[in-house]
Amino acid sequence: MPLTLRFRLLTGRTHLLTGRTGPLTGARPLTGRTRPPVARPGQPRRVAGPLPSAVGPLRRRRAAALLASAVSVALLGASAPPVPLGLGDRLFPYLGNPGYDVASYDLSFTYRGSNDTPLEAVTTIDARTIADLDRLNLDFAHGKVESVEVDGRPADFESAGEDLVVTPGRPLRRGDRTRITVKHTSDPVSAKGEDGGWVRTADGLAMANQADAAHRVFPCNDHPSDKAMFTFHVTAPNDYTVVANGLPAKASRTGRTTTWTYRTQHPMATELAQVSIGRSAVLHRAGPHGLPVRDVVPSAEAGKLEPWLAKTPDQIAWLERKVGTFPFETYGVLMAQASTGFELETQTLSLFEEHLFTEPTHTKWYLESIMVHELSHQWFGDSVSPRVWSDVWLNEGHATWYEALYAEEKGHQPMVNRMKAAYGASDRWRAAGGPPALPKAPEPGQKISIFRPNIYDGAALALYALRQEIGKPAFERLERAWVQRHKDGTATTADFVRLASTIANRDLTGFLDAWLYGEKTPPMPGHPDWKPVPASKELAGK
């Protein structure tokens, strides 16, 4: 999740899982740090309000056009002071930046063996401009910038809020392909009041960037609408093992250090980046169709964790029967010796707290269903990413759905019981955090607070209502079509409603709008006896 703190409800227990967000239909004006649109010298003018809804599947080839529709260009003098920009996301207005589309990131980190010391880093961004720019903004905070180059030439730079504002030696014109190279540090020690970015483990580091923390690790366009390819180069002492998203390309040993290189084969949102540095064992096995499965675990705990890790290939096969072929080049789990309070679906390498499995306090079926939750996100949230953060229910609702379905089929925990309990609490969840597809803005200083119960079980309840309404065969066709149509792209709630209507051969807009945006929970098809449960009655029943 955000940091992907995800909160979910299961038989009366709150537990932590993953995050993301919703639609554009019914979106409210920008809140929080928003300002009236003002032309800034040398910057694109940002239009106040939410990002426009995508029509049909959003692929990278269309990303530039969609981002361009959010901005108009003001190529003026560069005399005014730089200001932080953003894409106008309803929940995170200042995440992301207009004017360019990132094609790839090349990240280099040097780890000296201490996880409380800043890493030396170089971030290289290849991008295409979609507006005339004499400045461009990158999201970056919590690191020291030493130098910036644009297309091989030194560029001026300064900070504005959580943005790094770069002024190249010559203006960039719309359609230019440009390379920005930033030499900087990456600090693994969180600033006071901040969460996310690097996670300090017992023996090194891992990452947890959801929802808005990747820019605390490296300069980037930190919004899921701008997915890109990634290459990682990490240099560490020889007694450390490094694993990152994607597949290994090479490992080069020089004296007392080794440089590890990994590359993704599919585009990825910045919030899903993962780098593990530790005294780890990497365990390999084959998944369905020969899929490489690699798990990263503390070396001393490998034997104890193996029975859990061995379940992953069958879990992948189970999900493939539900929604289709696994969408990436590899998968595995990273068992970190850290207390994060959440698990996280970082692309191809999901992050888990190791103590959940070595010191289990939950039942076997429950822990397996958590594994399936994060695995489900590889389809729902990673391959198909949210266009804006209000679309996060599409990630969390689906992951919760397959978690509950797995618990039903493998753990003999009837989904109907969980859905009835969620129905009873749904009105209270909506009042506290907003309906599933229109979550309330984060609390001040609590950016991950969008990951409330209605994003998890509340959103899964909406999917249950949809299955009740259109029938199981149509619902299963919809799920397969959804992940195939939007693979490697981004999508909105409006896209989901349109596809559901097409599959059902009737307009479901009114039905789904009530479930996704309504202040009150609609009647459940097939269960007229289900009623909201006031908080006083729930407490009295315990």
Side-chain angles (χ1 to χ4, degrees):
M1 305 180 237
L3 246 176
T4 229
L5 222 132
R6 328 139 200 183
F7 293 95
R8 317 206 260 134
L9 194 74
L10 177 63
T11 61
R13 277 198 307 271
T14 301
H15 63 282
L16 307 162
L17 284 122
T18 338
R20 262 151 253 206
T21 35
L24 295 178
T25 306
R28 295 178 290 187
L30 292 177
T31 58
R33 295 159 53 198
T34 57
R35 306 171 182 170
V38 177
R40 302 290 181 182
Q43 300 281 14
R45 183 187 294 111
R46 180 167 56 80
V47 178
L51 293 170
S53 177
V55 178
L58 178 63
R59 296 288 185 264
R60 281 198 50 76
R61 64 178 180 270
R62 301 182 56 199
L66 288 169
L67 285 171
S69 70
V71 298
S72 57
V73 180
L75 185 60
L76 306 173
S79 58
V83 296
L85 297 179
L87 291 176
D89 190 292
R90 185 181 68 85
L91 297 176
F92 298 101
Y94 280 78
L95 277 188
N97 292 286
Y100 61 92
D101 174 44
V102 177
S104 66
Y105 293 93
D106 188 291
L107 307 178
S108 295
F109 298 104
T110 299
Y111 179 75
R112 300 296 184 186
S114 173
N115 66 2
D116 59 3
T117 301
L119 287 73
E120 299 164 24
V122 178
T123 294
T124 300
I125 300 171
D126 285 322
R128 185 171 68 87
T129 58
I130 55 176
D132 291 343
L133 299 171
D134 58 9
R135 287 178 180 164
L136 59 85
N137 283 37
L138 300 172
D139 298 307
F140 186 56
H142 201 54
K144 179 182 178 182
V145 177
E146 298 182 24
S147 64
V148 179
E149 292 184 353
V150 176
D151 297 324
R153 301 181 181 90
D156 293 333
F157 61 91
E158 55 186 304
S159 296
E162 294 192 352
D163 280 13
L164 173 65
V165 184
V166 177
T167 304
R170 61 175 181 80
L172 301 175
R173 301 303 179 186
R174 180 176 179 174
D176 283 354
R177 298 197 177 275
T178 187
R179 173 169 289 181
I180 305 109
T181 302
V182 183
K183 186 177 181 181
H184 61 97
T185 62
S186 186
D187 194 343
V189 179
S190 297
K192 184 178 180 180
E194 288 185 353
D195 289 313
W198 289 112
V199 173
R200 295 164 65 198
T201 66
D203 61 348
L205 293 170
M207 282 187 194
N209 295 328
Q210 196 178 62
D212 66 329
H215 68 280
R216 295 178 195 150
V217 177
F218 58 95
C220 57
N221 202 30
D222 198 6
H223 194 273
S225 61
D226 194 7
K227 299 169 74 168
M229 306 297 282
F230 277 74
T231 299
F232 301 88
H233 311 277
V234 182
T235 300
N238 290 332
D239 55 341
Y240 285 82
T241 297
V242 175
V243 182
N245 309 92
L247 293 172
K250 63 179 179 179
S252 302
R253 184 166 180 166
T254 304
R256 296 180 179 181
T257 65
T258 300
T259 300
W260 309 72
T261 299
Y262 288 82
R263 292 191 177 92
T264 66
Q265 295 184 0
H266 297 263
M268 182 170 71
T270 51
E271 52 118 354
L272 301 172
Q274 182 59 269
V275 172
S276 167
I277 306 170
R279 292 181 172 87
S280 309
V282 182
L283 308 179
H284 297 271
R285 68 195 80 236
H289 325 294
L291 177 75
V293 176
R294 49 85 175 91
D295 302 305
V296 184
V297 302
S299 296
E301 302 291 349
K304 188 180 294 187
L305 290 167
E306 175 59 24
W308 295 102
L309 303 174
K311 298 178 184 298
T312 297
D314 286 343
Q315 291 171 345
I316 296 172
W318 181 85
L319 267 162
E320 286 194 336
R321 291 193 292 271
K322 306 296 182 187
V323 294
T325 303
F326 185 77
F328 297 124
E329 62 272 24
T330 185
Y331 185 65
V333 301
L334 164 59
M335 297 287 192
Q337 289 183 311
S339 295
T340 58
F342 59 84
E343 324 309 315
L344 182 61
E345 68 278 12
T346 40
Q347 189 164 310
T348 74
L349 187 62
S350 293
L351 174 67
F352 290 87
E353 298 167 289
E354 172 259 351
H355 67 81
L356 282 179
F357 301 91
T358 56
E359 304 169 13
T361 58
H362 300 289
T363 61
K364 178 175 173 289
W365 69 263
Y366 176 78
L367 290 174
E368 288 185 31
S369 70
I370 291 176
M371 295 176 71
V372 169
H373 180 106
E374 304 308 327
L375 174 59
S376 301
H377 274 304
Q378 303 301 307
W379 286 265
F380 300 95
D382 294 9
S383 179
V384 185
S385 299
R387 175 71 177 96
V388 293
W389 275 104
S390 292
D391 292 319
V392 71
W393 79 272
L394 289 164
N395 306 1
E396 297 305 338
H398 279 100
T400 302
W401 174 264
Y402 289 103
E403 169 201 325
L405 190 60
Y406 187 89
E408 179 176 66
E409 293 187 10
K410 303 294 186 178
H412 309 293
Q413 306 296 313
M415 179 184 283
V416 67
N417 293 347
R418 182 167 178 173
M419 293 299 100
K420 185 177 181 179
Y423 191 93
S426 178
D427 277 0
R428 286 179 277 117
W429 290 343
R430 289 169 186 253
L438 198 65
K440 291 183 179 180
E443 299 292 339
Q446 299 289 325
K447 292 184 178 182
I448 58 175
S449 66
I450 63 170
F451 297 97
R452 303 178 178 103
N454 222 27
I455 295 300
Y456 296 92
D457 282 63
L461 183 68
L463 294 175
Y464 182 83
L466 178 60
R467 191 179 73 169
Q468 291 287 104
E469 179 72 9
I470 67 176
K472 184 177 178 180
F475 180 83
E476 291 177 348
R477 290 197 303 274
L478 168 63
E479 295 291 275
R480 287 177 168 271
W482 175 254
V483 297
Q484 183 58 42
R485 179 169 297 196
H486 299 287
K487 181 179 180 180
D488 286 341
T490 66
T492 68
T493 300
D495 293 326
F496 187 80
V497 173
R498 281 193 293 269
L499 184 59
S501 297
T502 298
I503 297 292
N505 200 29
R506 60 188 175 93
D507 188 359
L508 292 168
T509 303
F511 177 83
L512 285 171
D513 277 0
W515 276 96
L516 296 173
Y517 299 104
E519 292 184 5
K520 297 292 184 180
T521 310
M524 176 60 71
H527 295 285
D529 57 317
W530 287 11
K531 304 295 181 186
V533 178
S536 58
K537 287 189 177 181
E538 184 181 57
L539 290 172
K542 290 185 177 180

